[in-house]
Amino acid sequence: MTVEELIVYGKKYTSSTKAKMLLANFLEVNPLELLTILDKVIAEDKVNLYKNSLKALSENRPIQYVIGHVNFYGLKFKVNEKVLIPRFETEELVESIKNYLEKKNITNPKILDLGCGSGVIGLTLKYFFKDSEVTLVDVSKEVLKVAEDNAKSLGLDVNFIKSDWFSNVKVEDYDVIVSNPPYIMTDEEIEEIVKNNEPSLALYGGIDGLDCYRSILKDINKYLKDDYLIAFEIGYLEGEKLKELIKNTIPNSKVTIKKDLSNKDRMLFVEKNID
């Protein structure tokens, strides 16, 4: 079959955009390049792989899992069903941390990424701050394997710890502690494609969505430098409740809630209050 025939075939199972994205991935070209090779005949093994992947998409599997990787902050990261699919909002979280470190002129920060998943946060920060010391923590051995594969493919030297939050983390002082923990409330409605495919361990944070934050905050004071940044991704309904929890847990702190590009509360930052 030719590229053009495969695109037409693909549109029977999914959108034109996804069909082209999928085919371009298997042919290792940019989707726009497909228009320049419409008459090219594709090898049978790749045709079969493409057809099987279209079937998976038609069964409502996320395209990121079907392809096996995502682009995050311009970097390529492996993902599978063991890890959460990174969202654009998390790129905004990384951007904010990056801006903070640059403003403070901290070129060799010590960074702890709790519940690292595929490693997109900690590894992206390591990529931009080459002299940083980055430690990635997750409770799942299978998840850490994905993060380790990503570190290897990006050529980044970081530390990995299998731990339930701080339980196996040696007490040290960090410039930045960041986490995008499970924060969906138990009875919160979410998209079926997310609920049916992504790992529940990485999604749900208890009745009010704050269970994981409570676990992190009860030990966090022992791990902070005198001048520090704590950066959380949060559920859009949880900012004020989490802010109160932090005020009661971390004395003399300044808490800032930041909205994402959809104008929803999505990030929370904690710094030392210098007023």
Side-chain angles (χ1 to χ4, degrees):
M1 296 179 73
T2 65
V3 167
E4 185 173 19
E5 288 171 334
L6 288 171
I7 292 172
V8 172
Y9 179 88
K11 288 192 284 188
K12 298 176 184 177
Y13 292 87
T14 187
S15 68
S16 175
T17 299
K18 286 186 178 179
K20 291 174 183 176
M21 188 185 303
L22 200 61
L23 184 56
N25 177 69
F26 293 134
L27 299 182
E28 298 181 351
V29 299
N30 185 292
L32 293 175
E33 292 180 62
L34 294 176
L35 297 176
T36 67
I37 55 171
L38 291 175
D39 294 332
K40 182 177 180 179
V41 177
I42 304 305
E44 187 176 354
D45 59 336
K46 288 192 175 181
V47 170
N48 290 334
L49 186 59
Y50 175 67
K51 289 182 175 181
N52 289 336
S53 297
L54 285 169
K55 184 174 184 296
L57 283 182
S58 71
E59 293 169 351
N60 215 27
R61 283 191 63 205
I63 191 168
Q64 295 91 339
Y65 288 156
V66 174
I67 291 175
H69 62 81
V70 297
N71 182 290
F72 182 90
Y73 215 96
L75 303 174
K76 184 177 177 180
F77 286 90
K78 168 185 173 181
V79 293
N80 60 27
E81 288 82 355
K82 299 293 183 182
V83 300
L84 201 65
I85 297 169
R87 267 66 174 180
F88 182 70
E89 293 85 355
T90 309
E91 290 186 315
E92 295 181 61
L93 182 71
V94 169
E95 177 75 8
S96 295
I97 298 170
K98 187 169 172 284
N99 290 340
Y100 166 87
L101 292 170
E102 290 171 348
K103 183 179 178 181
K104 290 273 189 177
N105 198 29
I106 303 173
T107 57
N108 59 340
K110 195 168 183 179
I111 300 170
L112 183 66
D113 181 358
L114 291 171
C116 67
S118 58
V120 292
I121 298 176
L123 293 176
T124 301
L125 290 170
K126 176 65 177 179
Y127 181 85
F128 285 100
F129 296 90
K130 302 297 185 186
D131 295 328
S132 61
E133 180 184 336
V134 177
T135 300
L136 278 66
V137 174
D138 205 280
V139 71
S140 167
K141 182 179 178 181
E142 292 88 354
V143 167
L144 282 176
K145 177 63 169 61
V146 176
E148 288 170 0
D149 288 347
N150 283 324
K152 185 176 180 181
S153 68
L154 292 168
L156 300 174
D157 183 18
V158 297
N159 307 309
F160 295 95
I161 301 175
K162 182 179 180 298
S163 177
D164 187 4
W165 306 123
F166 288 108
S167 59
N168 295 328
V169 180
K170 180 182 174 183
V171 175
E172 297 182 52
D173 295 337
Y174 290 90
D175 294 285
V176 176
I177 296 179
V178 57
S179 186
N180 176 18
Y183 56 69
I184 295 174
M185 293 178 281
T186 304
D187 60 353
E188 188 174 339
E189 290 295 322
I190 61 174
E191 294 178 280
E192 287 294 315
I193 193 170
V194 175
K195 186 161 98 174
N196 296 335
N197 289 279
E198 300 192 48
S200 59
L201 184 66
L203 292 172
Y204 294 100
I207 293 174
D208 62 357
L210 300 179
D211 283 0
C212 295
Y213 300 104
R214 292 188 183 94
S215 297
I216 293 170
L217 290 170
K218 69 183 178 66
D219 294 317
I220 202 167
N221 285 298
K222 297 182 291 186
Y223 294 86
L224 298 172
K225 283 191 175 180
D226 184 57
D227 194 10
Y228 62 85
L229 176 70
I230 302 168
F232 288 137
E233 187 168 324
I234 63 173
Y236 72 99
L237 297 174
E238 298 164 2
E240 292 302 325
K241 291 183 288 184
L242 182 55
K243 185 175 181 178
E244 284 304 309
L245 185 60
I246 289 168
K247 284 294 186 181
N248 293 328
T249 309
I250 308 174
N252 196 32
S253 61
K254 173 187 173 185
V255 181
T256 305
I257 298 171
K258 186 175 179 181
K259 295 184 183 296
D260 61 19
L261 294 180
S262 300
N263 205 36
K264 292 182 177 180
D265 289 351
R266 187 62 63 190
M267 292 154 277
L268 184 146
F269 301 96
V270 190
E271 302 173 64
K272 182 178 179 180
N273 192 348
I274 57 176
D275 294 336

